[in-house]
């Protein structure tokens, strides 16, 4: 195994025993990025110089010994909508192409305090709106398993970089599936924590009632290690929850005996890809063999989730994105005949097509006369979806579904058809509307060698049941350890 192929905990051992230096590890990733990323396009910014400086510092600390922070010398990369002081935060948009952050997001402060090395910023759909990474101003990120297919979105850069060993692990954000859907397309682990679990201070807002930051990693154990660091109440984010943060690594046990796993019938619908369905059914068998009790459940309002989400997320986005006016942040177009024209030109030229579509949709559903029919109704549907979960979790500990209805699709295939693109999120959106935690883990491959993901959801703040069930599955299968064959390297 090469250094860039290892997990966080494997590198921790090598670094701690001083079998390798942090400089060796960091260089191995920087070289890998140079050799491979021109084909994948997962990085928007590579912070080579500062990463090397951080590595030198880390090695000094290792030499000194004593009490060392857990992520010391571990190179991690960050979705480009999380602010890092002194670096660009582009959000995949022309609007913020040259915007430099003046402060650190709380998750970044936490990573750095724990010794992590930041390798750079990762590509994404513009303002996190999309399911294929094709909405990035910097061009699409390709899927390392097949360069003609999409990496998923919006955290496609985070998923592809992690899958192609261009970082040890990454952070993404998930509003309607943006961590889990690309994780599933690229064959990695992606966790959307409970709403409120992780501070969003320094995360550029898309839809504030849904956005969450989460880890994207090569396996379940690494996800638990990162969760131990990024979770917790933050004085800078009033929506972060004051709920105790357990040591998630304690849930990494192979034990699902007696665990109740709910299988919702609404997720096994017409249009579900046959290979995806077969793989999930195989996975359910694995759980049964391990002594779990699998029961049929119903989440009756699932069919309304996509419609409700695209109303609510767009409404919130139209309000959040009002701040990009050419005055306060980023790009400014010609002022023409005055202020109004400057606003108009800036937003016309600075935003891409999909972002404009969401702003228009959001403004429409919030406008007087339509508010009750669309926005208010969607809020009511959201309450019903949340209630579906409350009822379900009275009967079971976790819920298992496919993460996506099909594996990664071809670049260009859905770009002209927004509705088809929106339907990619059909299985992931409900967890955001309900605010519950949800993970995607690798559970197999199609005959064409594309990864398939399984989604595991649990009740609010019960990431521990997710880790227990995900780890039990992982340790009894080998899908997570397969790597894409990057022949061009
Ligand atoms: N694909 C969904 C959308 O475009 C979800 C995006 C996300 O989770 N950020 O809105």
């Amino acid at each position: 195994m090469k250094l860039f192929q290892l997990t966080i905990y494997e590198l921790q051992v090598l670094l701690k025993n001083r079998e390798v230096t942090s400089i060796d590890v960091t260089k191995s990733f920087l070289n890998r990025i140079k050799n491979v990323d021109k084909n994948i396009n997962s990085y928007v910014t590579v912070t080579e110089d500062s990463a090397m400086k951080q590595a030198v510092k880390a090695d000094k600390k290792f030499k000194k010994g004593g009490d060392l922070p857990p992520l010391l010398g571990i190179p991690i990369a960050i979705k480009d909508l999380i602010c890092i002081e002194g670096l660009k935060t582009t959000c995949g948009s022309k609007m913020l192409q040259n915007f430099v952050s003046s402060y650190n997001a709380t998750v970044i402060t936490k990573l750095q305090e724990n010794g992590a090395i930041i390798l750079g910023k990762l590509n994404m759909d513009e303002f996190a709106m999309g399911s294929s990474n094709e909405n990035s101003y910097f061009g699409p990120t390709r899927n390392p398993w097949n360069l003609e297919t999409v990496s998923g979105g919006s955290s496609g850069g985070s998923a592809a970089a992690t899958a192609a060993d261009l970082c040890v692990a990454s952070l993404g954000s998930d509003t309607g599936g943006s961590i889990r859907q690309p994780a599933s397309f690229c064959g990695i682990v992606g966790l959307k924590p409970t709403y409120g679990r992780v501070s969003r201070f320094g995360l550029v807002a898309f839809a504030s009632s849904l956005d969450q930051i989460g880890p994207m990693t090569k396996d379940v154990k690494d996800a638990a290690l990162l969760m131990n660091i990024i979770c917790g109440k933050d004085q800078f984010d009033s929506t972060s929850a004051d709920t105790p943060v357990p040591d998630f690594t304690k849930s990494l046990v192979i034990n699902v005996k007696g665990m109740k796993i709910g299988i919702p019938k609404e997720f096994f619908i017409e249009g579900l890809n046959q290979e995806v369905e077969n793989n999930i059914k195989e996975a359910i068998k694995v759980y049964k063999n391990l002594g779990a009790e699998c029961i049929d459940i119903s989440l009756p309002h699932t069919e309304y989730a996509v419609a409700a989400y695209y109303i609510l997320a767009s409404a919130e986005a139209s309000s959040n994105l009002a701040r990009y006016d050419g005055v306060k942040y980023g790009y400014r177009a010609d002022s023409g005949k005055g202020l109004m024209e400057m606003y108009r030109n800036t937003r016309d030229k600075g935003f891409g097509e999909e972002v404009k579509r969401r702003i228009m949709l959001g403004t429409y559903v919030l406008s007087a006369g339509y508010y009750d029919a669309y926005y208010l109704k969607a809020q009511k549907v959201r309450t019903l979806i949340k209630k579906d979960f409350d009822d379900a979790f009275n009967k079971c500990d976790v819920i298992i579904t496919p993460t996506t209805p099909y594996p990664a699709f071809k670049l260009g295939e859905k770009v002209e058809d927004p509705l088809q693109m929106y339907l990619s999120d059909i299985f992931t959106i409900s967890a955001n509307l309900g605010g519950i935690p949800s993970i995607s883990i690798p559970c197999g491959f199609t005959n064409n060698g594309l990864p398939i993901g399984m989604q595991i959801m649990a009740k609010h703040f019960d990431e521990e049941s997710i880790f227990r069930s995900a780890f039990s599955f992982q340790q009894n299968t080998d899908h997570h350890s397969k790597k894409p064959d990057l022949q061009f390297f």
Side-chain angles (χ1 to χ4, degrees):
M1 290 279 258
K2 304 234 168 71
L3 286 178
F4 55 70
Q5 294 180 306
L6 302 178
T7 58
I8 295 178
Y9 57 89
E10 286 165 342
L11 284 171
Q12 279 174 331
V13 175
L14 294 181
L15 284 164
K16 199 164 152 236
N17 298 337
R18 309 225 1 237
E19 288 170 50
V20 297
T21 64
S22 175
I23 293 182
D24 296 334
V25 175
T26 306
K27 272 194 182 151
S28 136
F29 281 102
L30 290 169
N31 283 334
R32 174 89 173 156
I33 294 168
K34 268 189 200 132
N35 289 323
V36 171
D37 203 40
K38 51 183 175 298
N39 298 293
I40 293 177
N41 195 30
S42 64
Y43 277 84
V44 176
T45 306
V46 180
T47 49
E48 181 165 356
D49 292 347
S50 71
M52 286 308 293
K53 275 190 201 136
Q54 292 167 57
V56 170
K57 270 196 201 152
D59 283 334
K60 277 196 188 131
K61 284 193 185 153
F62 276 118
K63 220 175 204 170
K64 227 165 132 201
D67 220 6
L68 299 172
L71 293 183
L72 189 59
I74 305 283
I76 290 183
I78 308 294
K79 185 177 182 182
D80 207 9
L81 79 175
I82 297 175
C83 294
I84 304 182
E85 190 184 336
L87 293 186
K88 282 185 194 165
T89 303
T90 70
C91 290
S93 181
K94 178 176 176 183
M95 190 65 95
L96 295 179
Q97 189 181 7
N98 295 309
F99 172 75
V100 176
S101 302
S102 57
Y103 66 93
N104 274 334
T106 297
V107 288
I108 299 300
T109 306
K110 287 186 178 221
L111 286 178
Q112 289 180 340
E113 280 171 2
N114 282 284
I117 291 175
I118 306 290
L119 275 179
K121 305 295 292 288
L122 298 165
N123 204 354
M124 53 182 281
D125 283 298
E126 185 176 9
F127 286 104
M129 298 172 192
S131 309
S132 67
N133 230 273
E134 292 165 294
N135 298 338
S136 169
Y137 179 65
F138 303 99
T141 298
R142 290 166 184 269
N143 190 316
W145 292 90
N146 177 341
L147 297 177
E148 296 313 310
T149 64
V150 302
S151 53
S154 63
S155 314
S158 303
T162 307
D165 297 324
L166 302 170
C167 56
V168 187
S170 58
L171 291 186
S173 69
D174 192 312
T175 306
S178 279
I179 287 177
R180 291 159 288 153
Q181 188 256 24
S184 127
F185 279 10
C186 292
I188 63 158
V189 170
L191 171 67
K192 181 199 91 71
T194 307
Y195 185 79
R197 202 35 131 176
V198 179
S199 164
R200 300 171 305 163
F201 178 69
L203 168 76
V204 177
F206 162 11
S208 310
S209 78
L210 302 157
D211 300 337
Q212 259 299 286
I213 295 174
M216 301 178 72
T217 56
K218 292 177 193 177
D219 75 1
V220 173
K221 184 167 175 181
D222 273 5
L225 289 170
L226 282 185
M227 282 290 282
N228 275 358
I229 285 159
I230 62 173
C231 292
K233 175 78 188 158
D234 176 15
Q235 59 162 324
F236 298 123
D237 175 3
S238 62
T239 65
S240 65
D242 205 358
T243 309
V245 180
D247 175 356
F248 293 108
T249 61
K250 294 230 166 80
S251 305
L252 301 173
V253 290
I254 307 174
N255 181 8
V256 288
K257 257 208 190 89
M259 194 180 214
K260 286 205 172 115
I261 297 180
I263 317 287
K265 63 171 187 283
E266 291 81 3
F267 284 66
F268 293 83
I269 44 169
E270 222 184 279
L272 175 61
N273 172 290
Q274 197 57 54
E275 288 183 283
V276 172
E277 181 169 351
N278 294 344
N279 270 272
I280 300 295
K281 293 209 161 132
E282 282 304 310
I284 292 169
K285 273 191 207 148
V286 171
Y287 279 112
K288 280 188 182 152
N289 289 338
L290 290 170
E293 195 187 326
C294 296
I295 54 171
D296 292 331
I297 59 161
S298 171
L299 296 167
H301 297 92
T302 300
E303 65 173 305
Y304 307 111
V306 173
Y309 167 85
Y310 276 94
I311 289 173
L312 297 172
S314 303
E316 294 184 31
S318 72
S319 158
N320 272 326
L321 270 60
R323 72 191 70 179
Y324 306 105
D325 57 4
V327 178
K328 294 191 278 301
Y329 303 94
Y331 173 77
R332 176 186 298 180
D334 281 351
S335 356
K337 288 197 207 91
L339 187 64
M340 287 313 284
E341 202 165 315
M342 191 279 283
Y343 287 157
R344 201 178 307 127
N345 289 344
T346 297
R347 289 169 70 82
D348 180 35
K349 297 205 174 79
F351 289 135
E353 292 299 301
E354 183 59 30
V355 172
K356 286 189 216 168
R357 182 163 25 242
R358 305 281 178 112
I359 292 173
M360 287 189 282
L361 205 67
T363 310
Y364 180 79
V365 299
L366 286 174
S367 56
Y370 294 107
Y371 182 96
D372 288 4
Y374 296 108
Y375 182 77
L376 192 67
K377 191 155 193 189
Q379 288 288 35
K380 289 180 180 168
V381 171
R382 180 176 187 170
T383 303
L384 292 173
I385 287 173
K386 196 180 155 289
K387 195 177 162 296
D388 281 356
F389 282 123
D390 293 344
D391 293 346
F393 288 123
N394 282 330
K395 298 191 195 106
C396 60
D397 303 301
V398 293
I399 296 174
I400 285 185
T401 75
T403 308
T404 54
Y406 35 69
F409 45 90
K410 288 229 151 44
L411 281 154
E413 192 181 303
K414 296 186 197 292
V415 115
E416 301 298 330
D417 189 346
L419 206 57
Q420 278 306 314
M421 193 68 96
Y422 298 170
L423 286 170
S424 311
D425 312 324
I426 189 163
F427 297 153
T428 48
I429 276 171
S430 306
N432 300 79
L433 292 171
I436 59 171
S438 173
I439 202 169
S440 178
I441 61 171
C443 77
F445 290 86
T446 65
N447 289 334
N448 292 332
L450 288 172
I452 296 172
M454 166 166 65
Q455 173 169 242
I456 309 173
M457 302 182 262
K459 60 176 176 284
H460 293 103
F461 297 103
D462 188 16
E463 283 85 357
E464 287 159 290
S465 291
I466 288 184
F467 278 123
R468 182 150 74 97
S469 47
F471 188 74
S472 298
F473 179 81
Q474 173 183 287
Q475 297 311 101
N476 281 282
T477 52
D478 65 349
H479 313 296
H480 64 288
S481 57
K482 303 225 166 86
K483 299 248 178 218
D485 177 17
L486 296 171
Q487 280 166 359
F488 45 83
F489 179 55

